[in-house]
PDB file of all heavy atoms in Angstrom:
ATOM      1  N   TRP A  42      -5.787  42.477   8.117  1.00 85.00           N
ATOM      2  CA  TRP A  42      -5.110  43.379   9.057  1.00 85.00           C
ATOM      3  C   TRP A  42      -4.014  44.172   8.351  1.00 85.00           C
ATOM      4  O   TRP A  42      -3.840  45.358   8.586  1.00 85.00           O
ATOM      5  CB  TRP A  42      -4.503  42.608  10.217  1.00 85.00           C
ATOM      6  CG  TRP A  42      -5.489  41.962  11.129  1.00 85.00           C
ATOM      7  CD1 TRP A  42      -6.764  42.383  11.414  1.00 85.00           C
ATOM      8  CD2 TRP A  42      -5.283  40.778  11.877  1.00 85.00           C
ATOM      9  NE1 TRP A  42      -7.354  41.523  12.294  1.00 85.00           N
ATOM     10  CE2 TRP A  42      -6.478  40.520  12.603  1.00 85.00           C
ATOM     11  CE3 TRP A  42      -4.233  39.896  12.020  1.00 85.00           C
ATOM     12  CZ2 TRP A  42      -6.625  39.434  13.443  1.00 85.00           C
ATOM     13  CZ3 TRP A  42      -4.382  38.809  12.862  1.00 85.00           C
ATOM     14  CH2 TRP A  42      -5.560  38.584  13.563  1.00 85.00           C
ATOM     15  N   THR A  43      -3.262  43.508   7.478  1.00 85.00           N
ATOM     16  CA  THR A  43      -2.169  44.166   6.758  1.00 85.00           C
ATOM     17  C   THR A  43      -2.688  45.250   5.822  1.00 85.00           C
ATOM     18  O   THR A  43      -2.030  46.275   5.636  1.00 85.00           O
ATOM     19  CB  THR A  43      -1.351  43.126   5.970  1.00 85.00           C
ATOM     20  OG1 THR A  43      -0.890  42.118   6.876  1.00 85.00           O
ATOM     21  CG2 THR A  43      -0.164  43.755   5.281  1.00 85.00           C
ATOM     22  N   SER A  44      -3.862  45.043   5.231  1.00 80.00           N
ATOM     23  CA  SER A  44      -4.410  46.037   4.311  1.00 80.00           C
ATOM     24  C   SER A  44      -4.630  47.376   4.998  1.00 80.00           C
ATOM     25  O   SER A  44      -4.567  48.424   4.350  1.00 80.00           O
ATOM     26  CB  SER A  44      -5.716  45.538   3.693  1.00 80.00           C
ATOM     27  OG  SER A  44      -6.746  45.495   4.663  1.00 80.00           O
ATOM     28  N   GLN A  45      -4.857  47.343   6.300  1.00 79.00           N
ATOM     29  CA  GLN A  45      -5.030  48.582   7.034  1.00 79.00           C
ATOM     30  C   GLN A  45      -3.732  49.380   7.095  1.00 79.00           C
ATOM     31  O   GLN A  45      -3.764  50.607   7.172  1.00 79.00           O
ATOM     32  CB  GLN A  45      -5.554  48.305   8.444  1.00 79.00           C
ATOM     33  CG  GLN A  45      -6.995  47.846   8.446  1.00 79.00           C
ATOM     34  CD  GLN A  45      -7.509  47.579   9.834  1.00 79.00           C
ATOM     35  OE1 GLN A  45      -7.797  46.450  10.151  1.00 79.00           O
ATOM     36  NE2 GLN A  45      -7.628  48.608  10.653  1.00 79.00           N
ATOM     37  N   LEU A  46      -2.589  48.697   7.043  1.00 84.00           N
ATOM     38  CA  LEU A  46      -1.307  49.402   7.025  1.00 84.00           C
ATOM     39  C   LEU A  46      -1.126  50.199   5.743  1.00 84.00           C
ATOM     40  O   LEU A  46      -0.358  51.156   5.704  1.00 84.00           O
ATOM     41  CB  LEU A  46      -0.154  48.413   7.186  1.00 84.00           C
ATOM     42  CG  LEU A  46      -0.098  47.637   8.503  1.00 84.00           C
ATOM     43  CD1 LEU A  46       1.017  46.600   8.454  1.00 84.00           C
ATOM     44  CD2 LEU A  46       0.084  48.581   9.677  1.00 84.00           C
ATOM     45  N   PHE A  47      -1.843  49.784   4.685  1.00 82.00           N
ATOM     46  CA  PHE A  47      -1.736  50.458   3.393  1.00 82.00           C
ATOM     47  C   PHE A  47      -2.884  51.429   3.158  1.00 82.00           C
ATOM     48  O   PHE A  47      -3.137  51.836   2.028  1.00 82.00           O
ATOM     49  CB  PHE A  47      -1.659  49.423   2.272  1.00 82.00           C
ATOM     50  CG  PHE A  47      -0.417  48.592   2.330  1.00 82.00           C
ATOM     51  CD1 PHE A  47      -0.463  47.293   2.818  1.00 82.00           C
ATOM     52  CD2 PHE A  47       0.807  49.105   1.935  1.00 82.00           C
ATOM     53  CE1 PHE A  47       0.689  46.521   2.893  1.00 82.00           C
ATOM     54  CE2 PHE A  47       1.960  48.347   2.008  1.00 82.00           C
ATOM     55  CZ  PHE A  47       1.906  47.052   2.490  1.00 82.00           C
ATOM     56  N   GLY A  48      -3.588  51.780   4.231  1.00 78.00           N
ATOM     57  CA  GLY A  48      -4.587  52.823   4.135  1.00 78.00           C
ATOM     58  C   GLY A  48      -6.015  52.381   3.902  1.00 78.00           C
ATOM     59  O   GLY A  48      -6.899  53.222   3.809  1.00 78.00           O
ATOM     60  N   LEU A  49      -6.267  51.103   3.806  1.00 77.00           N
ATOM     61  CA  LEU A  49      -7.643  50.646   3.647  1.00 77.00           C
ATOM     62  C   LEU A  49      -8.304  50.586   5.025  1.00 77.00           C
ATOM     63  O   LEU A  49      -7.809  49.918   5.925  1.00 77.00           O
ATOM     64  CB  LEU A  49      -7.698  49.271   2.983  1.00 77.00           C
ATOM     65  CG  LEU A  49      -7.183  49.205   1.547  1.00 77.00           C
ATOM     66  CD1 LEU A  49      -7.274  47.786   1.020  1.00 77.00           C
ATOM     67  CD2 LEU A  49      -7.969  50.133   0.647  1.00 77.00           C
ATOM     68  N   VAL A  50      -9.386  51.296   5.177  1.00 78.00           N
ATOM     69  CA  VAL A  50     -10.091  51.346   6.454  1.00 78.00           C
ATOM     70  C   VAL A  50     -11.320  50.445   6.330  1.00 78.00           C
ATOM     71  O   VAL A  50     -12.127  50.634   5.425  1.00 78.00           O
ATOM     72  CB  VAL A  50     -10.496  52.794   6.796  1.00 78.00           C
ATOM     73  CG1 VAL A  50     -11.230  52.851   8.116  1.00 78.00           C
ATOM     74  CG2 VAL A  50      -9.272  53.693   6.810  1.00 78.00           C
ATOM     75  N   PRO A  51     -11.463  49.475   7.222  1.00 78.00           N
ATOM     76  CA  PRO A  51     -12.608  48.564   7.103  1.00 78.00           C
ATOM     77  C   PRO A  51     -13.923  49.259   7.448  1.00 78.00           C
ATOM     78  O   PRO A  51     -13.996  50.060   8.371  1.00 78.00           O
ATOM     79  CB  PRO A  51     -12.292  47.455   8.110  1.00 78.00           C
ATOM     80  CG  PRO A  51     -11.367  48.078   9.093  1.00 78.00           C
ATOM     81  CD  PRO A  51     -10.595  49.122   8.340  1.00 78.00           C
ATOM     82  N   CYS A  52     -14.942  48.921   6.678  1.00 79.00           N
ATOM     83  CA  CYS A  52     -16.272  49.442   6.959  1.00 79.00           C
ATOM     84  C   CYS A  52     -16.983  48.506   7.941  1.00 79.00           C
ATOM     85  O   CYS A  52     -16.410  47.502   8.381  1.00 79.00           O
ATOM     86  CB  CYS A  52     -17.078  49.564   5.661  1.00 79.00           C
ATOM     87  SG  CYS A  52     -17.505  47.972   4.913  1.00 79.00           S
ATOM     88  N   GLU A  53     -18.218  48.816   8.248  1.00 79.00           N
ATOM     89  CA  GLU A  53     -18.984  48.013   9.197  1.00 79.00           C
ATOM     90  C   GLU A  53     -19.131  46.565   8.711  1.00 79.00           C
ATOM     91  O   GLU A  53     -18.991  45.621   9.490  1.00 79.00           O
ATOM     92  CB  GLU A  53     -20.359  48.648   9.396  1.00 79.00           C
ATOM     93  CG  GLU A  53     -21.238  47.910  10.371  1.00 79.00           C
ATOM     94  CD  GLU A  53     -22.589  48.572  10.514  1.00 79.00           C
ATOM     95  OE1 GLU A  53     -22.653  49.808  10.532  1.00 79.00           O
ATOM     96  OE2 GLU A  53     -23.580  47.830  10.615  1.00 79.00           O
ATOM     97  N   LEU A  54     -19.400  46.379   7.425  1.00 80.00           N
ATOM     98  CA  LEU A  54     -19.551  45.016   6.900  1.00 80.00           C
ATOM     99  C   LEU A  54     -18.214  44.273   6.859  1.00 80.00           C
ATOM    100  O   LEU A  54     -18.184  43.058   7.066  1.00 80.00           O
ATOM    101  CB  LEU A  54     -20.187  45.038   5.504  1.00 80.00           C
ATOM    102  CG  LEU A  54     -21.672  45.364   5.459  1.00 80.00           C
ATOM    103  CD1 LEU A  54     -22.166  45.451   4.016  1.00 80.00           C
ATOM    104  CD2 LEU A  54     -22.470  44.337   6.233  1.00 80.00           C
ATOM    105  N   CYS A  55     -17.143  44.978   6.603  1.00 80.00           N
ATOM    106  CA  CYS A  55     -15.810  44.344   6.636  1.00 80.00           C
ATOM    107  C   CYS A  55     -15.524  43.803   8.028  1.00 80.00           C
ATOM    108  O   CYS A  55     -15.040  42.677   8.185  1.00 80.00           O
ATOM    109  CB  CYS A  55     -14.725  45.346   6.247  1.00 80.00           C
ATOM    110  SG  CYS A  55     -14.761  45.903   4.546  1.00 80.00           S
ATOM    111  N   LEU A  56     -15.806  44.612   9.025  1.00 80.00           N
ATOM    112  CA  LEU A  56     -15.565  44.194  10.409  1.00 80.00           C
ATOM    113  C   LEU A  56     -16.462  43.020  10.784  1.00 80.00           C
ATOM    114  O   LEU A  56     -16.036  42.103  11.494  1.00 80.00           O
ATOM    115  CB  LEU A  56     -15.779  45.367  11.359  1.00 80.00           C
ATOM    116  CG  LEU A  56     -14.777  46.519  11.215  1.00 80.00           C
ATOM    117  CD1 LEU A  56     -15.184  47.695  12.088  1.00 80.00           C
ATOM    118  CD2 LEU A  56     -13.373  46.064  11.532  1.00 80.00           C
ATOM    119  N   GLU A  57     -17.689  43.018  10.276  1.00 85.00           N
ATOM    120  CA  GLU A  57     -18.604  41.910  10.544  1.00 85.00           C
ATOM    121  C   GLU A  57     -18.097  40.613   9.909  1.00 85.00           C
ATOM    122  O   GLU A  57     -18.195  39.540  10.507  1.00 85.00           O
ATOM    123  CB  GLU A  57     -20.000  42.259  10.004  1.00 85.00           C
ATOM    124  CG  GLU A  57     -21.056  41.273  10.370  1.00 85.00           C
ATOM    125  CD  GLU A  57     -21.433  41.304  11.838  1.00 85.00           C
ATOM    126  OE1 GLU A  57     -21.288  42.347  12.484  1.00 85.00           O
ATOM    127  OE2 GLU A  57     -21.879  40.257  12.337  1.00 85.00           O
ATOM    128  N   GLN A  58     -17.525  40.708   8.718  1.00 87.00           N
ATOM    129  CA  GLN A  58     -16.996  39.518   8.045  1.00 87.00           C
ATOM    130  C   GLN A  58     -15.813  38.922   8.803  1.00 87.00           C
ATOM    131  O   GLN A  58     -15.605  37.712   8.766  1.00 87.00           O
ATOM    132  CB  GLN A  58     -16.538  39.878   6.624  1.00 87.00           C
ATOM    133  CG  GLN A  58     -17.670  40.184   5.685  1.00 87.00           C
ATOM    134  CD  GLN A  58     -17.148  40.722   4.381  1.00 87.00           C
ATOM    135  OE1 GLN A  58     -16.660  39.957   3.559  1.00 87.00           O
ATOM    136  NE2 GLN A  58     -17.251  42.030   4.190  1.00 87.00           N
ATOM    137  N   ARG A  59     -15.066  39.753   9.476  1.00 86.00           N
ATOM    138  CA  ARG A  59     -13.907  39.262  10.223  1.00 86.00           C
ATOM    139  C   ARG A  59     -14.305  38.405  11.420  1.00 86.00           C
ATOM    140  O   ARG A  59     -13.500  37.611  11.903  1.00 86.00           O
ATOM    141  CB  ARG A  59     -13.043  40.436  10.687  1.00 86.00           C
ATOM    142  CG  ARG A  59     -12.374  41.158   9.544  1.00 86.00           C
ATOM    143  CD  ARG A  59     -11.539  42.301  10.037  1.00 86.00           C
ATOM    144  NE  ARG A  59     -10.981  43.051   8.916  1.00 86.00           N
ATOM    145  CZ  ARG A  59     -10.116  44.022   9.048  1.00 86.00           C
ATOM    146  NH1 ARG A  59      -9.696  44.370  10.247  1.00 86.00           N
ATOM    147  NH2 ARG A  59      -9.667  44.649   7.994  1.00 86.00           N
ATOM    148  N   MET A  60     -15.522  38.570  11.896  1.00 89.00           N
ATOM    149  CA  MET A  60     -15.972  37.795  13.059  1.00 89.00           C
ATOM    150  C   MET A  60     -15.883  36.297  12.800  1.00 89.00           C
ATOM    151  O   MET A  60     -15.591  35.526  13.711  1.00 89.00           O
ATOM    152  CB  MET A  60     -17.407  38.185  13.436  1.00 89.00           C
ATOM    153  CG  MET A  60     -17.540  39.614  13.934  1.00 89.00           C
ATOM    154  SD  MET A  60     -16.459  40.005  15.313  1.00 89.00           S
ATOM    155  CE  MET A  60     -17.178  39.019  16.584  1.00 89.00           C
ATOM    156  N   ALA A  61     -16.120  35.873  11.578  1.00 91.00           N
ATOM    157  CA  ALA A  61     -16.020  34.444  11.257  1.00 91.00           C
ATOM    158  C   ALA A  61     -14.608  33.931  11.514  1.00 91.00           C
ATOM    159  O   ALA A  61     -14.434  32.808  11.994  1.00 91.00           O
ATOM    160  CB  ALA A  61     -16.409  34.209   9.797  1.00 91.00           C
ATOM    161  N   TYR A  62     -13.628  34.733  11.218  1.00 93.00           N
ATOM    162  CA  TYR A  62     -12.243  34.325  11.442  1.00 93.00           C
ATOM    163  C   TYR A  62     -11.900  34.342  12.928  1.00 93.00           C
ATOM    164  O   TYR A  62     -11.156  33.490  13.408  1.00 93.00           O
ATOM    165  CB  TYR A  62     -11.296  35.223  10.647  1.00 93.00           C
ATOM    166  CG  TYR A  62     -11.526  35.086   9.164  1.00 93.00           C
ATOM    167  CD1 TYR A  62     -12.402  35.929   8.491  1.00 93.00           C
ATOM    168  CD2 TYR A  62     -10.903  34.086   8.437  1.00 93.00           C
ATOM    169  CE1 TYR A  62     -12.633  35.786   7.141  1.00 93.00           C
ATOM    170  CE2 TYR A  62     -11.121  33.924   7.085  1.00 93.00           C
ATOM    171  CZ  TYR A  62     -11.993  34.784   6.448  1.00 93.00           C
ATOM    172  OH  TYR A  62     -12.229  34.620   5.110  1.00 93.00           O
TER     173      TYR A  62
END
Side-chain angles (χ1 to χ4, degrees):
W42 293 330
T43 304
S44 70
Q45 289 180 246
L46 297 174
F47 295 103
L49 295 179
V50 180
C52 68
E53 181 181 321
L54 287 176
C55 293
L56 294 173
E57 187 71 27
Q58 290 172 77
R59 292 180 184 187
M60 294 305 292
Y62 297 92

